[in-house]
Amino acid sequence: MKQAEAILTITGSDSTGGSGVQADIKTTSALGGQAVSVITSITMQNSLGIQQFFDLPAQVVEGQLLAIIDDLAPQVVKIGMLRQVDTVLVLAAILRRYRPRHIIYDPIVRSSRGDELMPPQVVQAVREQLLPLCTYVVERRPDASHGQANLFSSALCVYLSRGEQMDEAVSKARDYVSQHPLAGEQTGRAAELYQQFATAVEQYYRHYSDVAFYAEQLGVGSRYLAQVCRRIASRSPKQIIEERLMQELQRELATTRPLKEIAQHYGFSSQAHLTRFFRKQLGISPTAYRKLST
């Protein structure tokens, strides 16, 4: 069988390694291929999703692409994340002139979490300029695990680079994915951290409502803790802390304990502070709530 040649992947960077250029290189190398790359976008992300993008200017993408093509002349090109119209135009123009044997497009319109990654104007540019050049376009299933389309398309590129016919290469790539169903899955420690947070809330909610305090106790950043809570509980850490405090305050208000004493016990600076907090949560004062509950 023909030895695998250089395979070019043009896509974004995924710092978790579950998708993007990192996953493409990993799969290509695992199958004995030689991976070369052009980066289109740098993402700030973890196992909970993408927080921010930095899309490289089109001229930077162009410079990377020309450097690789002039030197290594890859005949199999895989395209992934594209987020700028001018990048699509530059890419299409170079590929139209260069004419590699295979162009595999793995469109990344949404993340595995459902986030929109490709603006409508880019989708239109891709339809008009890029799709006519492609030999195969990967269909991304909404229910696929993170990185599965990368796994398939990278494997397909390797088999094509060895001279396989398209049907045979597709079949082998599907077999490869079925044998590595979780290759792109990145679970992180979100579930474990959330349980630790819930335990800390139970221990400290009477005295601390500052999210930074809990993040410090758990040894993580406040932003990451917020991501974890929103992903698992669909609420912010602040909401979770305040909801737990409100549960206890409502229980206390069912007793005859004086409001001033309740305020002191739960760390409020004054009875007025307690009243403001309670009214913000439920829209009525503790006194009014107590009357309604008796």
Side-chain angles (χ1 to χ4, degrees), residues 67-80:
I68 290 294
I69 285 177
D70 289 344
D71 187 42
L72 297 174
Q75 288 301 306
V76 178
V77 176
K78 178 194 166 183
I79 302 171

Side-chain angles (χ1 to χ4, degrees), residues 38-54:
V38 168
I39 307 298
T40 60
S41 183
I42 298 171
T43 63
M44 282 142 269
Q45 67 176 302
N46 52 33
S47 62
L48 299 176
I50 299 172
Q51 286 84 61
Q52 194 173 347
F53 290 97
F54 178 77

Side-chain angles (χ1 to χ4, degrees), residues 9-229:
T9 177
I10 305 170
T11 191
S13 171
D14 175 354
S15 48
T16 71
S19 186
V21 66
Q22 291 87 343
D24 289 344
I25 292 173
K26 183 165 54 179
T27 301
T28 301
S29 299
L31 283 168
Q34 178 191 353
V36 293
S37 63
V38 168
I39 307 298
T40 60
S41 183
I42 298 171
T43 63
M44 282 142 269
Q45 67 176 302
N46 52 33
S47 62
L48 299 176
I50 299 172
Q51 286 84 61
Q52 194 173 347
F53 290 97
F54 178 77
D55 298 316
L56 296 182
Q59 62 267 31
V60 174
V61 176
E62 180 182 29
Q64 295 177 79
L65 184 54
L66 291 175
I68 290 294
I69 285 177
D70 289 344
D71 187 42
L72 297 174
Q75 288 301 306
V76 178
V77 176
K78 178 194 166 183
I79 302 171
M81 180 178 284
L82 298 173
R83 288 174 37 83
Q84 300 185 103
V85 171
D86 52 355
T87 296
V88 174
L89 297 179
V90 163
L91 178 58
I94 293 174
L95 293 177
R96 195 177 293 116
R97 183 171 68 248
Y98 171 59
R99 296 175 181 255
R101 189 168 64 252
H102 290 290
I103 299 175
I104 309 302
Y105 181 41
D106 177 14
I108 305 175
V109 180
R110 293 179 182 83
S111 73
S112 61
R113 308 289 184 183
D115 304 312
E116 293 286 342
L117 303 182
M118 184 185 289
Q121 62 270 28
V122 177
V123 174
Q124 185 64 30
V126 165
R127 285 197 184 115
E128 295 175 355
Q129 301 293 326
L130 189 60
L131 291 187
L133 306 177
C134 296
T135 50
Y136 191 94
V137 178
V138 177
E139 182 180 357
R140 283 186 164 238
R141 299 197 326 270
D143 61 340
S145 299
H146 178 56
Q148 291 301 293
N150 284 74
L151 195 67
F152 169 78
S153 53
S154 294
L156 175 60
C157 286
V158 173
Y159 294 125
L160 289 172
S161 75
R162 292 175 178 166
E164 301 277 3
Q165 295 300 307
M166 182 62 74
D167 288 348
E168 183 66 17
V170 168
S171 177
K172 287 186 176 182
R174 287 174 177 160
D175 289 343
Y176 185 79
V177 171
S178 69
Q179 295 163 13
H180 302 78
L182 301 178
E185 188 67 20
Q186 298 292 324
T187 57
R189 58 179 180 135
E192 178 185 358
L193 183 67
Y194 182 78
Q195 291 303 316
Q196 292 172 349
F197 171 65
T199 299
V201 168
E202 198 61 34
Q203 182 177 357
Y204 296 115
Y205 76 90
R206 291 181 181 86
H207 307 290
Y208 298 100
S209 61
D210 185 7
V211 174
F213 167 82
Y214 291 90
E216 183 177 352
Q217 295 298 307
L218 299 171
V220 298
S222 297
R223 183 175 182 178
Y224 181 66
L225 179 59
Q227 290 177 300
V228 168
C229 291

